[in-house]
Amino acid sequence: MKKKLAFAAALLAASVLGGMANAKTLVYCSEASPANFDPGTTTGGNDFDASSRTVYSRLVEFKHGGTEVEPGLADKWEISDDGLVYTFHLHPGVKFQTTDFFKPTRDLNADDVVFSFDRQFNKANPWNGDKYLPNLTWDYYTGMDMPKYVAKWEKVDDLTVKLTLTEPNAPMLANLGMDFASIVSKEYADQLEKSGKMADFSTKPIGTGPFQFVDYQLDSVIRYAANSDYFKGKEKIDDLVFAITPDATARIQKVLAGECDIAPYPNPADIGTIKASQDVTLMDQAGLNIGYMSYNTTIPPLDKPEVRHALNQAIDRESLIKSLFQDAGATPAVNLIPPTMWSWDKDVKSDSYDPEAAKKVLAAAGLTEIQLWASDRVRPYNPNFQRAAELIQADWAKVGVKAEIVNYEWTKYRSEGKKKDRPGAFQIGWTGDNGDPDNFFATLFACSAIGVSNYSSWCDKDFEDLIQKAKKTSDQAERTKLYEQAQVVFQKQAPAFLLAHSQVYAVVRKNVSGFMMDPLGIHRFDGVDKAE
């Protein structure tokens, strides 16, 4: 293992640092390879770290380390009194990145903004379907109910864009700060379409963000360079490197050895070792997240709430959380949203551990076998899917249910898991994108999210009515009441087993400054510096 790590380090040094002795290089040990570099088509946090949070920018941005929006590519905006029209005024002189594979001839303008969204819903747009990428889905755009609420995007002039909604939508501005809303280059898209190389759009990204893409060695290393034309000013880091390291312990070993500067998601068992080191800082923050397990509510007998409750009651959640998170810290999940988020309902009670009661219900329902899905990745809301599956498997065996554990690599895991006919129980989780409860309730369990991010294929009229009403008012007190009622419905129907809200960690070398933990699970490198 040590020889492999040493070889990997040598390879990384040779490929990245050779010939750049005077460059200031930051190495980030990322946890997984990106599915691709087009943030409109992907859903994983590691996908976004590698694309939208490095290469791209948005009309509005979230404040560093917070959930409030601030100007991005738009210097300012107005919202009509009826909440239906948003007018954005673009920052003048914003340049797209110049690379070996693209030389822009103009600055960013309204055409780019309109194209960035049009491609995600307009079936007539050649970039919307299989001509661009096979089996293409726009999961975030669909999951956020954008097709329902967006009437049209319009170019007013080169630096003015108008968004018209079908009805008021309180989270809309925050939604536009999310990764799927990254603004891409229409000129670059046109060039690739004309040359018959449309797939390059997802592998050779062009944006207006703080770093520009250089190259990618599959499943190994991604290289970026500071964007010298970045409209907010060139970054202090000259070169940014993603050293893809799926094994959590290996990531931490690399940081402790100085081979990486920053690494996310350490194993809970490694927390003590990290704290004992004089060379690194262990940063932590309560995660705006949820780990859970979705039941496919369309397949009998999981279509019955009493069966789902019984499966929940059969799981010793307290022991499960202790085994998974150890000293890393996690709060048992009572509701889908974490207790730090407004509208969290303190009166909702979760299913208690009662294997005897569960056994009777499951026997009566005739449930003796079930599939239990587990991924190969460490996520902030679940540090070990396989271990969790094994513990749940043992608990279910005690009540007469034999669980078959199904394993897939992370990208395939999610694509298979969201299929409407996927059987059994599917471990998954979520880190909030924008600080709004809608980003949990609607994104994960709205009817429109089935086949996208609703892994339970659950569509409940009462729940749906409540979360849709909550979108239409900007009155937070009224929205809170509606979301509290939605949480009661969710608990009653139990479309999922709620595990925990975790503490989130990052390990940072002490010569690195400016890196911040983010409640939205974002790993940002703008503003980061490194003392050599």
Side-chain angles (χ1 to χ4, degrees):
M1 179 67 174
K2 289 183 178 179
K3 288 183 178 179
K4 288 183 178 180
L5 288 174
F7 174 76
L11 179 64
L12 179 65
S15 63
V16 174
L17 304 180
M20 296 189 296
N22 297 321
K24 189 177 289 189
T25 301
L26 184 82
V27 181
Y28 171 65
C29 265
S30 65
E31 77 278 18
S33 301
N36 66 51
F37 294 90
D38 182 347
T41 67
T42 55
T43 60
N46 61 294
D47 301 323
F48 297 143
D49 287 345
S51 61
S52 57
R53 298 163 188 172
T54 48
V55 176
Y56 293 101
S57 307
R58 286 144 293 282
L59 291 173
V60 298
E61 302 283 4
F62 292 107
K63 291 183 178 179
H64 216 156
T67 58
E68 303 86 9
V69 295
E70 63 182 6
L73 293 173
D75 283 334
K76 59 182 179 178
W77 55 86
E78 298 97 31
I79 304 174
S80 62
D81 292 341
D82 61 5
L84 294 178
V85 180
Y86 291 63
T87 304
F88 296 95
H89 304 277
L90 303 181
H91 187 87
V94 175
K95 300 186 182 303
F96 281 102
Q97 296 141 2
T98 298
T99 68
D100 291 340
F101 51 87
F102 178 63
K103 306 288 194 263
T105 63
R106 63 167 176 79
D107 294 342
L108 173 137
N109 65 31
D111 293 325
D112 302 301
V113 178
V114 172
F115 171 75
S116 296
F117 294 103
D118 184 79
R119 71 191 186 112
Q120 298 189 53
F121 72 88
N122 182 2
K123 301 296 183 184
N125 190 315
W127 290 87
N128 181 261
D130 290 352
K131 186 178 178 182
Y132 169 32
L133 292 175
N135 304 311
L136 179 60
T137 58
W138 301 93
D139 288 357
Y140 255 105
Y141 193 89
T142 303
M144 296 302 295
D145 255 355
M146 296 291 279
K148 173 183 176 181
Y149 287 99
V150 173
K152 56 183 176 179
W153 285 90
E154 297 175 275
K155 174 183 178 179
V156 178
D157 57 43
D158 276 354
L159 294 178
T160 311
V161 182
K162 183 186 294 184
L163 165 64
T164 303
L165 304 184
T166 57
E167 57 186 89
N169 183 276
M172 182 56 69
L173 194 61
N175 292 349
L176 294 178
M178 291 168 57
D179 301 281
F180 80 91
S182 296
I183 304 304
V184 300
S185 168
K186 185 178 186 302
E187 183 185 15
Y188 181 45
D190 290 343
Q191 173 184 300
L192 292 177
E193 184 180 2
K194 185 177 181 180
S195 65
K197 297 179 179 179
M198 292 175 71
D200 283 4
F201 200 81
S202 68
T203 60
K204 297 178 179 180
I206 290 291
T208 60
F211 295 93
Q212 62 188 57
F213 176 84
V214 176
D215 64 43
Y216 174 36
Q217 299 171 32
L218 184 65
D219 297 332
S220 178
V221 176
I222 312 171
R223 297 176 58 210
Y224 306 88
N227 177 8
S228 59
D229 293 323
Y230 184 44
F231 69 104
K232 293 186 178 181
K234 182 179 178 296
E235 294 297 324
K236 297 175 182 178
I237 295 297
D238 297 299
D239 298 285
L240 174 65
V241 178
F242 278 34
I244 300 167
T245 314
D247 183 83
T249 295
R251 285 199 299 274
I252 301 312
Q253 289 175 350
K254 286 184 176 183
V255 178
L256 293 175
E259 297 168 13
C260 287
D261 299 299
I262 302 171
Y265 316 136
N267 273 331
D270 294 330
I271 296 296
T273 300
I274 297 166
K275 288 182 176 179
S277 173
Q278 300 297 309
D279 299 319
V280 300
T281 298
L282 179 65
M283 303 178 71
D284 71 301
Q285 184 177 69
L288 198 70
N289 62 29
I290 174 71
Y292 63 98
M293 181 170 62
S294 271
Y295 302 116
N296 190 327
T297 62
T298 67
I299 300 178
L302 295 180
D303 58 337
K304 296 180 173 62
E306 62 268 24
V307 173
R308 303 193 293 264
H309 277 292
L311 287 170
N312 289 352
Q313 288 179 305
I315 300 171
D316 185 350
R317 188 173 64 160
E318 182 178 348
S319 296
L320 177 60
I321 290 173
K322 285 182 179 179
S323 179
L324 288 177
F325 294 95
Q326 301 178 40
D327 295 330
T331 302
V334 176
N335 294 307
L336 189 62
I337 59 174
T340 54
M341 180 172 276
W342 61 270
S343 81
W344 184 81
D345 191 343
K346 68 181 187 305
D347 295 323
V348 170
K349 306 298 180 186
S350 58
D351 290 315
S352 59
Y353 178 49
D354 191 343
E356 290 304 315
K359 189 173 184 179
K360 294 176 183 178
V361 174
L362 295 170
L367 182 62
T368 58
E369 295 182 348
I370 189 172
Q371 283 193 357
L372 173 53
W373 290 54
S375 176
D376 64 340
R377 287 291 183 262
V378 171
R379 303 307 299 153
Y381 45 75
N382 188 334
N384 195 326
F385 284 93
Q386 180 65 25
R387 178 60 177 156
E390 292 167 355
L391 292 169
I392 294 170
Q393 181 185 51
D395 282 343
W396 282 348
K398 294 174 185 176
V399 297
V401 177
K402 181 181 179 181
E404 173 199 359
I405 298 177
V406 178
N407 300 104
Y408 283 108
E409 173 275 328
W410 179 238
T411 300
K412 184 174 178 59
Y413 180 77
R414 288 176 292 160
S415 65
E416 292 294 319
K418 69 184 180 182
K419 292 180 178 178
K420 297 177 184 180
D421 60 351
R422 184 222 72 235
F426 184 85
Q427 293 184 88
I428 193 63
W430 185 253
T431 297
D433 293 293
N434 61 19
D436 194 288
D438 173 75
N439 186 233
F440 283 74
F441 296 119
T443 303
L444 303 180
F445 287 97
C447 298
S448 61
I450 292 175
V452 179
S453 50
N454 182 342
Y455 293 93
S456 294
S457 293
W458 181 62
C459 182
D460 182 89
K461 183 180 185 305
D462 293 337
F463 182 83
E464 186 74 13
D465 287 348
L466 289 165
I467 63 172
Q468 295 302 333
K469 286 178 182 176
K471 289 185 181 187
K472 296 177 184 178
T473 176
S474 58
D475 185 331
Q476 187 165 310
E478 179 62 24
R479 296 185 75 202
T480 294
K481 291 178 183 178
L482 292 165
Y483 286 135
E484 287 175 345
Q485 294 174 54
Q487 287 165 81
V488 172
V489 174
F490 188 95
Q491 197 285 327
K492 181 179 179 181
Q493 294 296 317
F497 166 73
L498 302 183
L499 175 62
H501 310 287
S502 73
Q503 197 77 1
V504 181
Y505 295 87
V507 184
V508 183
R509 297 284 301 178
K510 287 193 173 178
N511 62 333
V512 173
S513 60
F515 181 79
M516 298 173 64
M517 294 288 288
D518 195 287
L520 303 178
I522 295 171
H523 298 113
R524 290 175 57 171
F525 305 98
D526 52 317
V528 177
D529 199 2
K530 177 182 175 181
E532 300 290 354

